[in-house]
Amino acid sequence: MEIFEKLEALIDAPGAETVNEARSMLRQFESVVTADAIHQFLLDLMTLVFVVDAAPQNYHPPVRKLVKVRLAMLKMLGEASA
């Protein structure tokens, strides 16, 4: 799905508007099945944006990996519910 490619691009280059962009993309995708996974993904994405803004670079890869794992879980849920 194209939405997941766009979300992955946001993870790779987070910025100030990353969370708002992700939230608006996921709004069309949200269902009862995916709601919790979307909230967990957005929370981890917010953490990533904070870490990129506030922490040394050696903290970025582990947080980025966590967000990508959450995105993979969300993608699996989306495919299962489609």
Side-chain angles (χ1 to χ4, degrees):
M1 288 182 151
E2 186 179 310
I3 189 171
F4 295 108
E5 292 169 3
K6 290 179 181 179
L7 290 169
E8 182 125 17
L10 291 176
I11 293 169
D12 291 333
E17 288 298 313
T18 299
V19 175
N20 290 334
E21 289 176 45
R23 187 176 284 125
S24 67
M25 280 189 268
L26 289 169
R27 215 171 260 132
Q28 65 186 353
F29 185 69
E30 190 167 8
S31 69
V32 174
V33 174
T34 60
D36 188 50
I38 288 172
H39 294 297
Q40 290 177 17
F41 169 76
L42 288 172
L43 181 60
D44 288 341
L45 187 60
M46 287 183 240
T47 303
L48 174 63
V49 170
F50 173 78
V51 168
V52 167
D53 285 346
Q57 288 222 357
N58 57 337
Y59 290 103
H60 299 188
V63 178
R64 187 170 276 119
K65 181 178 180 180
L66 174 65
V67 179
K68 287 185 179 189
V69 167
R70 293 280 192 195
L71 181 59
M73 290 171 39
L74 181 57
K75 186 176 181 180
M76 286 188 296
L77 278 172
E79 290 171 351
S81 67

